[in-house]
Amino acid sequence: MTTPFLDLVEQQFAPSSGIESHGVQHGVLVLQLDPAALLPVAERLKSQFAFDLFLDVTAIDWPDDALRFEVVHHFYSTTHKVRVRLKTRVSASDPTVDTLKSLFGSAGYMERECHDMYGIVFRGNDDLRPILLYEGFSGHPLRKDYPKQLEQPLVPYRPPQGTLVR
Amino acid sequence: MSASIPNPVRSAFTTHERDDTVIVNIGPSHPATHGTVQIIAELDGEKVLRTDVHCGYLHRGFEKECEDHTWHNLIPYVDRLNYCSALINDFAYCDAVEQMMGIEITPRTKYLRTLLSEYSRITDHLTCVAASLMELGAMTAFLYLVTVRDFMYEHLAALTGARVTYSYGRIGGLANDVPDGWFTRLREILAEYETYIARVHGLVDRNRIFIDRLRNVGTISTADALHWGFTGVILRSTGVPRDLRKDTPYLAYAELDFDVPVGINGDNYDRYYVRMREMDESVYMIRQLMDMMPDGPINVDDRRCVFPEKALVYNEIESLINHFKLVMEGPSVPPGEIYLAHEAPNGELGFFLVSTGGGTPHKVHVRSPSFVHMGGVHRMLDGYQLADIVTTFGSVNMIGGECDR
């Protein structure tokens, strides 16, 4: 289910410096990028190919890989009605990619969630405040090595006081 | 006790812009902020200078839980994302898994899912419009809308067996076919709907108070809406006819005749009106779907995901093993990933699924409209009156379950 426009975009982003692979999956163009190429490619997508809607950013944790995290960005073009997905591999020791805050306001916001959940650092985003977690929460819950049963209550549990009337 | 607990929320601003302003917390759990949302607002008298919106957290751990359950067992979880239109969540999720497995659902399921999606869109919009009207004091209009919504909830309960969390979708089909007389009752309810909606239009559309509270309040431009990732009704209220049902048709939408209503200003009135018009379009679509509804099976014949019939399970070892494997290990989804979006009542509801093969997802991520809308909602609140927060926030239709992760 590819469109002529998607083919055109695919040709424009043929494997070169920074772009490792490309292909269409389920009607979505998927580009595998070098971290350094993320911001330039996103800029080109926005300015040249009218990908004006930033939909989502998230990460995939592959705990056994050397480059552990895969940061995934989703874009949509309201004029051409096609989607592009950018994928960037980063290592656990330096999980840093560039922020797209300068291009899309929504990116700055959604990066906060990705930072909370996976510990991905978005270079240039000065507003990586916790969004779903509280200040002082340790760890990143959606990482595979974060135990599912671990509890970190903000307010310590305390036994009920007084007499319980039943 | 309270002194020892640090404030879990760090505001984007703590210092005052001017000496004569105050910073107030609105919510969480304030009637105006439906759910866990906290709005930190700097006020100059009644005027909102700037706001910082925190979407809050319901502590449900949806995405983490998904990584520990089989593909089937996630259906009750995705239900609870948006409890006003749970069926759309179900179908979007099932559609994504089916596409990963390369399954083509049966024609009847395709049409039933489309019909139920539109039905859910009506109940969701009814809830939102009714709540917004109630917040403005229009109690009669609220009761009219909630009455007709309750007809629909009861009717959906007759189909699915639950009131709001239906868990009705299945990978490869649906839980069961519609009972006898269900479509007859649906036609009656649609007629009732038109009666009640006509009354609400008559009550509020040309009402001075209603228009003054909504017109040119909470305005957002097209450029801002796109910049902040808004989709759905909010984007359409600014005049962009972006609707996935038209742009990239899924289910049976390509075969239906319908319009995409858009607004002009992107203000609260436009959002109210777009919702009202969309419900009329949904009714029109449901009537078409009922006329076109094909006969045939509900579930596909695919042993990888659809449970064998009970009679076979009890009498045939192959089916018994198949049943056990599906329960214990889950349906085997081939390795790969997919991003698939449906047009939910609030906007684009996308599921990003990653599979490594086997019965449990490696990752489930939901791109929920409510969560994204919370990132840019301050653009719709800043510069208006304190009391306008209630109406503007109501027109965004934030659903707590969707903000959650």
Side-chain angles (χ1 to χ4, degrees), chain B residues 126-164:
Chain B
L126 280 175
T127 312
C128 172
V129 173
S132 310
L133 287 169
M134 181 193 60
E135 281 157 0
L136 288 171
M139 201 63 193
T140 315
F142 165 77
L143 287 172
Y144 281 157
L145 293 170
V146 173
T147 305
V148 67
R149 189 191 70 159
D150 245 31
F151 292 157
M152 293 176 175
Y153 273 174
E154 277 172 17
H155 192 221
L156 281 169
L159 172 68
T160 62
R163 192 178 144 79
V164 282

Side-chain angles (χ1 to χ4, degrees), chain A residues 55-56 58-59 61 76 83 85 87 105-106 109 113 118 129 132 135 141-144 146 148, chain B residues 10 12 52 57 63-64 67-68 99 227-228 242 247 337 348 362-363 365 367 371 374-375 405:
Chain A
L55 286 175
D56 196 18
T58 185
D61 186 4
Y76 183 83
R83 297 174 193 282
R85 176 154 81 228
K87 296 172 63 167
S106 51
Y109 178 75
E113 186 213 341
Y118 288 95
R129 285 176 292 148
L132 292 167
E135 294 273 336
L142 280 181
R143 285 190 180 187
K144 289 282 178 189
Y146 186 91
K148 192 164 69 84
Chain B
R10 181 148 52 97
D52 183 31
Y57 192 35
E63 289 184 2
K64 188 79 175 170
E67 293 171 11
D68 210 47
Q99 294 217 3
H227 185 66
W228 288 100
R242 178 190 187 267
D247 295 351
E337 56 181 45
E348 171 165 335
H362 182 76
K363 175 183 169 63
H365 180 77
R367 188 266 179 211
F371 178 75
M374 286 305 100
R405 284 293 179 275

Side-chain angles (χ1 to χ4, degrees), chain B residues 32 173 221 302 313 401:
Chain B
S221 67
D302 193 323
V313 174

Side-chain angles (χ1 to χ4, degrees), chain B residues 16 45 58 86 130 181 219 222 260 279 286 290 311 318 324 330 353 372 403:
Chain B
H16 297 237
L58 289 176
T219 312
T222 306
V260 176
M279 286 195 284
I286 289 175
M290 276 196 288
E318 285 287 329
F324 264 124
L353 309 176
V372 180
C403 285

Side-chain angles (χ1 to χ4, degrees), chain B residues 17 120 149 154 257 270 281-282 304 322 373 398:
Chain B
E17 247 178 9
S120 302
R149 189 191 70 159
E154 277 172 17
D257 172 40
D270 282 355
E281 290 297 324
S282 293
R304 286 179 301 164
N322 186 214
H373 289 164
M398 199 285 297

Side-chain angles (χ1 to χ4, degrees), chain A residues 14-79:
Chain A
S16 57
S17 64
I19 298 166
E20 284 152 17
S21 72
H22 67 153
V24 176
Q25 288 176 17
H26 297 287
V28 181
L29 176 63
V30 183
L31 300 175
Q32 188 85 41
L33 299 178
D34 189 70
L38 176 66
L39 191 57
V41 167
E43 256 167 7
R44 266 185 79 194
L45 280 176
K46 191 188 178 191
S47 57
Q48 285 182 25
F49 301 101
F51 282 90
D52 47 0
L53 195 58
F54 179 84
L55 286 175
D56 196 18
V57 55
T58 185
I60 315 171
D61 186 4
W62 302 102
D64 302 330
D65 290 10
L67 291 173
R68 183 173 162 182
F69 296 107
E70 201 164 10
V71 186
V72 189
H73 292 77
H74 295 271
F75 297 85
Y76 183 83
S77 165
T78 48
T79 37

